[in-house]
Amino acid sequence: MIRRLLPLLVGLSAPLCLVPALAQAATPAPTTLERLYDKVACEAAGQSFSGVDLRQRLIGQAGLTMNGELLSAIESRSLGQFAAHSSDPAVTALLTATMAVLSTPAPSEARFTLASQTAPDARARAIAFLNGDTDGISLACIATSPPPPPTPAVVVPAKGPAPHRRGLILADSKNDFIKPPRERGFATLGFEEDKAADTRLLNASLALAIEPILFAKPSEATELRWTPFVQYNRRAARSGREEVNDLTLGNSFIFRNPKQAGGAIGFGSMAFQTDDAAKAAVWVGDALIDFPRVRPCTRRDALGWAMRCNLSIVVDYADVQDPGDSQKLAELDAYFRGGMNLGLSAEQDFGFGVITISSSYNGRYDITSRKASGGIFSVGAGLRPSAGSNISLETRYTRGTTINTLVDVDKITLRLGYRL
């Protein structure tokens, strides 16, 4: 018996001599495949082991306590059954390690290949292998490629909201600031014929402002915005009579609450009114309220024409410090007025362009002295390249008393318009 065990003991002596004395209390071998492959210890790429060599390496590196019972199991070629029923953690770990080593590893984890094995069950295959049934099993170490260099991390900046570039609004008057872009009036430059007086050479009307800036947000539905603006109206005449020269600098405030009845929009402004020669000096303030959802018509269609209308209630106040060239303002120290702005328009696309027909009336009634009452009516037709175009060619008839300078007009104008 000793003679039969001598070759095995000699084969095991080399690995066993490296195990310290504390190996008798060794903990179970780890079962993760990565560390089990390390225990097989392929010293070089292309190295191969027969089944016998592989079995010897696994037994020799398991940290087993070589007692009579274990030696008897090895001699009788029943080490597999012994390990399957043993309560020794080291022996149990040997069976677990053998099962893992003999299983076909995943390609991403493989460091070796195994030849075909007879027993289909992993546990049965490991028991047979430890018993000594090593025929048809071999291990060949795969040449491991050096790890690829780490891929440089590509830092993709978080995609935040695109910065909003604050733009400008260019329209006909400051009251257009509360309207959607496609409904704003056009800033215009034109030539006119006055039916009541001399031929007029120049007519200019514009309001320029920074896009409304958020001033306060009292609730989720309510917001208050403000914007500085400049408004200019100029009407030059050869005779100098009945000119319109109004330059207004100020701040406007826009209040919105879509959840209120009618989707209330409030507009107010505080401004200094003069002329382009800085002769006049009038402090003005006004307030306007509009309810877009209760307008008589809102984007209705009639015979192919898209209809729009608006109705706004307005109050304004002025303190006249210097009337300038305005004779009517010279008769006033201050005024407080109430009134309304009415508008109706229709447009239709005819292929060659969009035809627009519009009319408006702005009226003010002086509550204090009645000297500052006035109103102006206009009707016109225009042509635009497309519905969303910012360019317009228009002819318009206007009659009445201008709102700010209180000048009487009765004119036909051909004008070119542009808006932002």
Side-chain angles (χ1 to χ4, degrees), residues 21-342:
L22 293 178
Q24 296 190 9
T27 58
T31 58
T32 60
L33 290 180
E34 182 179 356
R35 294 191 178 181
L36 288 173
Y37 296 161
D38 291 338
K39 283 191 172 297
V40 174
C42 291
E43 287 85 8
Q47 183 181 8
S48 63
F49 301 99
S50 65
V52 176
D53 293 335
L54 178 60
R55 178 172 176 269
Q56 279 188 319
R57 281 178 175 260
L58 288 173
I59 295 173
Q61 298 180 40
L64 302 177
T65 301
M66 289 298 174
N67 52 30
E69 188 178 14
L70 178 61
L71 290 173
S72 176
I74 296 173
E75 179 188 6
S76 62
R77 298 174 67 87
S78 60
L79 179 59
Q81 284 86 351
F82 177 82
H85 299 91
S86 176
S87 59
D88 186 346
V91 177
T92 304
L94 171 62
L95 179 61
T96 304
T98 304
M99 291 172 59
V101 169
L102 295 182
S103 63
T104 303
S108 60
E109 298 175 310
R111 286 182 53 197
F112 58 86
T113 58
L114 293 171
S116 61
Q117 302 156 13
T118 56
D121 180 71
R123 183 178 176 85
R125 182 166 61 240
I127 291 173
F129 181 81
L130 291 176
N131 285 340
D133 184 9
T134 60
D135 294 336
I137 297 177
S138 63
L139 180 148
C141 296
I142 295 177
T144 56
S145 303
T151 304
V154 179
V155 179
V156 179
K159 188 176 181 180
H164 175 67
R165 294 183 179 180
R166 187 157 301 281
L168 297 176
I169 296 176
L170 178 64
D172 179 56
S173 75
K174 58 183 176 60
N175 294 335
D176 286 317
F177 299 161
I178 65 173
K179 299 178 182 178
R182 289 182 58 178
E183 296 182 20
R184 293 171 186 157
F186 290 82
T188 58
L189 178 65
F191 296 92
E192 69 180 43
E193 172 70 24
D194 194 312
K195 298 173 62 177
D198 296 335
T199 300
R200 309 302 176 182
L201 300 178
L202 175 67
N203 184 298
S205 176
L206 65 89
L208 181 65
I210 298 175
E211 246 180 44
I213 304 167
L214 184 63
F215 183 76
K217 196 170 181 63
S219 69
E220 292 184 2
T222 304
E223 66 179 26
L224 179 65
R225 295 181 177 269
W226 69 277
T227 179
F229 73 90
V230 55
Q231 178 172 292
Y232 183 61
N233 290 279
R234 186 74 161 95
R235 175 174 175 249
R238 287 180 178 177
S239 64
R241 296 172 53 248
E242 298 182 351
E243 284 197 348
V244 175
N245 191 347
D246 178 16
L247 177 63
T248 305
L249 307 170
N251 270 305
S252 64
F253 299 87
I254 301 174
F255 168 85
R256 296 181 187 271
N257 190 340
K259 294 188 177 180
Q260 282 189 352
I265 301 178
F267 178 84
S269 67
M270 296 294 296
F272 177 72
Q273 180 182 316
T274 183
D275 53 47
D276 52 21
K279 294 180 180 179
V282 183
W283 289 97
V284 295
D286 63 353
L288 175 152
I289 189 166
D290 188 7
F291 297 96
R293 295 181 186 171
V294 295
R295 293 174 180 172
C297 62
T298 304
R299 299 192 179 187
R300 294 182 179 176
D301 292 340
L303 301 176
W305 292 82
M307 310 288 293
R308 291 189 181 92
C309 59
N310 69 281
L311 168 61
S312 304
I313 307 301
V314 187
V315 293
D316 63 1
Y317 172 81
D319 178 14
V320 182
Q321 297 183 354
D322 187 341
D325 294 331
S326 174
Q327 297 178 1
K328 289 192 176 183
L329 286 179
E331 301 174 4
L332 300 169
D333 294 327
Y335 62 75
F336 179 73
R337 304 182 301 185
M340 65 179 63
N341 296 336
L342 298 172

Side-chain angles (χ1 to χ4, degrees), residues 5-30:
L5 290 176
L6 186 60
L8 175 63
L9 293 176
V10 171
L12 293 176
S13 61
L16 289 176
C17 69
L18 300 176
V19 180
L22 293 178
Q24 296 190 9
T27 58

